[in-house]
Amino acid sequence: MVQDNVDLEDLEGIGPKTAQLLKSKGILSVRHLALFNPEELIELTDMTPDRVEKILRSARDIVFGSNRVSRATDIAKSFEGITRLRTNVRAIDELLQGGLEPKAIYEFAGEFGTGKTQLCHQLSVTVQLSQDKGGVGGAAVYLDTEEAFSPGRIINIAQRFDLDPNETLDNIYVIKVINAADLEDRIKFDVVKLVEQANARLIVVDSIIALYRAEFKGRERLAERQQRLNYILDWLMRIAKLYNVYVVLTNQVLDVPMGYIEIKRPAGGNVLAHAVTHRLFLRKSKEDVKVMEVLDSPRLPFKASAMFRITDKGIEDV
């Protein structure tokens, strides 16, 4: 991976003037530059395609290495050694085989009141815990598209885990997002900056679909909506893989007719289904009990579930 002392000007094809241009556009590091594809960088800087290809190839070689072939045995060992981020809810962490894994996208879908946002708040606190307590000692970035972030809930959860409430709030960077284009810009620039400079280890988008459903209305704009949604999901995965961070999305549900009944399915269609790594469905059960169920995952057992409840201290075991 890239060394910390490698500057933009150290790359082949980048001099002081080009480095300043990139920085003026919000690209502050070689690692950040390596996230971009040629079309994006051309649109951003108006540089020629040949020059952009040369610069990006140099950035990728420094960040990822020129030889990126791995044996499957090495990949298997890397999974054994990953640090998981726990919710500190025993049933949920067992369902997730020890907690959330980095370099992956988790989708929590469900109706209103099933605990999606509460779970995001709790993870924004537990990510700050030390590793022996289930955290990774990092900060959180919370992209709030529905005005759902609650400092009061964070304070209650922080007190539960014996953390200083003010310090806990200071380590959560809340970004209020205006529209879909704003969400894309904030992820491509602000989020990356916080990951690089503020030790942000958790990225939360609550919720991923709300802005796209509101802006791209009607069947005639469905293809455009899905294309834009796919684009931002791709960026989140780029960031997750390059920076070894945890990514969590919340999602709304739709009623889908199935014969004489309607069943609830996550919104976003096939684009969202294919882009996320682990899909988890949250639903209400008896009394105040909620259920989290595995909807789709390459590593978690299909339809496996965990029960939990929401209290004034956050998400807890039943």
Side-chain angles (χ1 to χ4, degrees):
M1 298 295 282
V2 65
Q3 300 177 12
D4 292 335
N5 60 356
V6 177
D7 297 322
L8 287 169
E9 291 182 38
D10 295 327
L11 291 181
E12 184 179 359
I14 294 185
K17 193 172 182 179
T18 304
Q20 184 56 44
L21 171 64
L22 293 172
K23 290 175 182 178
S24 71
K25 299 298 184 180
I27 300 174
L28 305 179
S29 71
V30 175
R31 197 187 295 261
H32 190 186
L33 177 61
L35 288 172
F36 286 80
N37 64 39
E39 291 77 14
E40 291 166 340
L41 197 58
I42 290 168
E43 182 179 357
L44 192 66
T45 65
D46 288 327
M47 288 191 286
T48 63
D50 288 345
R51 191 173 182 205
V52 163
E53 289 280 3
K54 185 177 182 180
I55 289 172
L56 290 180
R57 187 176 297 110
S58 178
R60 288 193 300 268
D61 285 347
I62 289 178
V63 172
F64 300 105
S66 56
N67 181 13
R68 291 191 284 276
V69 179
S70 300
R71 292 183 182 274
T73 50
D74 295 329
I75 295 175
K77 289 177 182 177
S78 70
F79 269 106
E80 295 173 3
I82 63 173
T83 300
R84 291 186 177 271
L85 170 60
R86 298 206 308 258
T87 64
N88 276 4
V89 179
R90 179 186 51 78
I92 293 177
D93 290 336
E94 288 180 358
L95 176 67
L96 301 179
Q97 298 182 346
L100 278 67
E101 64 184 65
K103 300 185 179 182
I105 298 178
Y106 286 80
E107 174 199 4
F108 296 110
E111 290 183 283
F112 176 81
T114 54
K116 304 184 301 296
T117 294
Q118 301 301 326
L119 187 56
C120 292
H121 281 67
Q122 186 140 317
L123 286 167
S124 296
V125 175
T126 62
V127 72
Q128 302 181 43
L129 296 170
S130 58
Q131 191 169 330
D132 62 312
K133 294 182 179 179
V136 294
V141 182
Y142 201 111
L143 293 131
D144 185 8
T145 71
E146 297 184 304
E147 292 295 323
F149 182 78
S150 170
R153 294 296 291 168
I154 294 295
I155 290 171
N156 291 342
I157 299 169
Q159 292 172 336
R160 167 185 167 187
F161 291 107
D162 297 320
L163 294 175
D164 180 89
N166 289 327
E167 290 183 7
T168 304
L169 288 169
D170 277 345
N171 281 322
I172 302 173
Y173 297 88
V174 181
I175 301 175
K176 300 290 187 178
V177 183
I178 305 303
N179 51 39
D182 188 42
L183 176 64
E184 292 162 11
D185 283 343
R186 300 290 73 79
I187 287 174
K188 290 165 66 175
F189 297 101
D190 292 354
V191 169
V192 174
K193 184 177 180 179
L194 289 167
V195 169
E196 289 195 345
Q197 301 180 7
N199 191 33
R201 298 296 310 283
L202 171 70
I203 301 169
V204 173
V205 184
D206 184 23
S207 74
I208 188 63
I209 198 68
L211 298 176
Y212 293 92
R213 291 179 75 181
E215 291 180 43
F216 301 95
K217 299 177 181 178
R219 296 192 63 86
E220 67 276 7
R221 300 197 69 188
L222 179 60
E224 183 184 1
R225 183 185 85 176
Q226 295 302 84
Q227 184 180 43
R228 291 280 292 276
L229 181 60
N230 186 53
Y231 179 68
I232 202 58
L233 291 167
D234 178 62
W235 255 93
L236 285 167
M237 183 56 83
R238 295 186 215 179
I239 295 169
K241 291 192 292 186
L242 180 55
Y243 292 98
N244 195 40
V245 297
Y246 308 82
V247 178
V248 170
L249 316 174
T250 67
N251 192 11
Q252 301 168 354
V253 296
L254 300 171
D255 290 323
V256 179
M258 295 288 287
Y260 294 102
I261 62 171
E262 288 187 338
I263 61 172
K264 299 188 181 302
R265 284 285 181 264
N270 290 333
V271 164
L272 195 55
H274 292 153
V276 301
T277 316
H278 307 285
R279 308 195 83 188
L280 297 129
F281 194 83
L282 280 62
R283 57 181 172 83
K284 300 173 183 177
S285 184
K286 57 184 180 181
E287 299 177 353
D288 63 340
V289 174
K290 319 296 182 188
V291 177
M292 177 185 292
E293 184 177 80
V294 177
L295 196 59
D296 189 28
S297 168
R299 290 178 281 282
L300 304 177
F302 178 62
K303 289 293 185 181
S305 63
M307 292 189 296
F308 64 94
R309 59 167 46 101
I310 303 170
T311 73
D312 56 358
K313 298 178 181 179
I315 302 288
E316 297 190 87
D317 280 295
V318 174

